Amino acid sequence: MNKELQKYIETMIIPKYSDFDKGHNLEHVKTVIDESLNLAEKCGVNLEYAYVIAAYHDLGLCEGREFHHITSGKILEADSVLNQWFLPDEIKLMKEAVEDHRASSKHPPRSIYGKIVAEADRDIVPLKIIKRTIQYSMKNTPSDDKEVHWRHLTEHMAEKYAKGGYMKLWFEDSKNAEPLNELRKIIADKNKLRNIFEDLYSKELSQQYLEQ
């Protein structure tokens, strides 16, 4: 790994995630970077590409969530600092991989690097996924009505993670396969999901109170 590239990413790019919601914060980007590097090493592909792609993959959240993958790609492409380390075709490859990382994408990633960052971004830990969904709902739909957040949770779980949802894994030996099955079992058991929701929602309210 080029030390100057690494220094630039660590000092100028990664800190930008401190401005995002709890589900896409510094912890998230570091997790995606670490897993991207692990997958890239297993696949025998370029570690620097995987590193940069992971670091930029969610920067587009600065302009909203819906098209953040497209905006993130544009941010990477427009960063002229990267030109000292990468050729135009390499920048294009990384931009496309960033664009392809979103789970709801209608088409499969165009390269192995898109598959790597998409897989790394999954980071499926059932309770963490549920918690992040509740946090996102509470931040983006402020409401004292608990049932609003419960509805958002169940709708999101059904649309994305349940059987038939749009969540896809791109590697046969994916470490996310077993956790995804575990999450699907929780989703199918509405009583269990509700109990988890009650516990995590209560903790989020307490945390908000302490932060006031």
Side-chain angles (χ1 to χ4, degrees):
M1 186 75 67
N2 183 294
K3 297 299 182 184
E4 289 301 313
L5 169 63
Q6 191 171 10
K7 180 180 178 181
Y8 175 67
I9 296 295
E10 289 182 353
T11 59
M12 302 303 295
I13 302 303
I14 291 176
K16 295 178 185 293
Y17 286 79
S18 60
D19 295 330
F20 300 150
D21 64 88
K22 293 180 180 178
H24 301 88
N25 57 12
L26 290 169
E27 178 186 0
H28 172 68
V29 70
K30 289 176 181 178
T31 297
V32 174
I33 287 173
D34 288 344
E35 183 59 18
S36 290
L37 291 175
N38 287 336
L39 288 170
E41 188 169 10
K42 287 180 181 179
C43 294
V45 296
N46 191 295
L47 296 181
E48 290 183 352
Y49 295 174
Y51 178 63
V52 172
I53 292 161
Y56 283 74
H57 83 283
D58 273 344
L59 288 185
L61 289 169
C62 63
E63 295 185 11
R65 187 181 181 92
E66 185 177 2
F67 299 108
H68 80 279
H69 53 305
I70 302 299
T71 305
S72 297
K74 290 179 179 178
I75 291 172
L76 187 156
E77 184 179 44
D79 189 346
S80 60
V81 177
L82 294 176
N83 294 335
Q84 64 186 289
W85 300 298
F86 301 104
L87 297 172
D89 284 349
E90 295 175 306
I91 298 290
K92 182 175 183 289
L93 174 71
M94 293 187 289
K95 170 181 177 285
E96 290 178 348
V98 167
E99 292 174 341
D100 291 345
H101 87 272
R102 192 169 185 181
S104 58
S105 177
K106 302 297 184 184
H107 59 79
R110 286 165 281 186
S111 72
I112 184 62
Y113 296 100
K115 291 181 179 180
I116 285 171
V117 70
E119 185 74 30
D121 190 42
R122 301 300 181 258
D123 186 29
I124 299 176
V125 179
L127 291 183
K128 183 189 288 189
I129 292 287
I130 295 169
K131 179 180 179 180
R132 281 186 357 194
T133 304
I134 294 169
Q135 289 173 334
Y136 183 82
S137 179
M138 294 175 74
K139 177 178 175 62
N140 292 277
T141 311
S143 173
D144 293 331
D145 185 352
K146 179 170 61 177
E147 298 309 310
V148 168
H149 305 297
W150 166 246
R151 187 177 72 251
H152 287 170
L153 174 66
T154 55
E155 289 175 351
H156 183 63
M157 291 297 106
E159 180 183 17
K160 184 173 183 179
Y161 296 103
K163 289 184 178 180
Y166 63 74
M167 167 63 68
K168 295 180 179 65
L169 303 180
W170 297 110
F171 294 89
E172 289 185 4
D173 59 347
S174 170
K175 72 171 190 176
N176 287 313
E178 186 174 339
L180 180 57
N181 286 332
E182 182 183 343
L183 178 56
R184 285 173 172 170
K185 290 178 182 178
I186 294 172
I187 294 169
D189 186 340
K190 282 296 172 64
N191 288 331
K192 185 172 185 177
L193 181 60
R194 181 72 195 207
N195 288 336
I196 293 172
F197 167 78
E198 292 285 349
D199 179 55
L200 294 178
Y201 181 76
S202 177
K203 289 177 179 177
E204 286 301 312
L205 284 180
S206 297
Q207 184 63 33
Q208 286 184 359
Y209 177 77
L210 291 174
E211 292 175 353
Q212 289 177 351

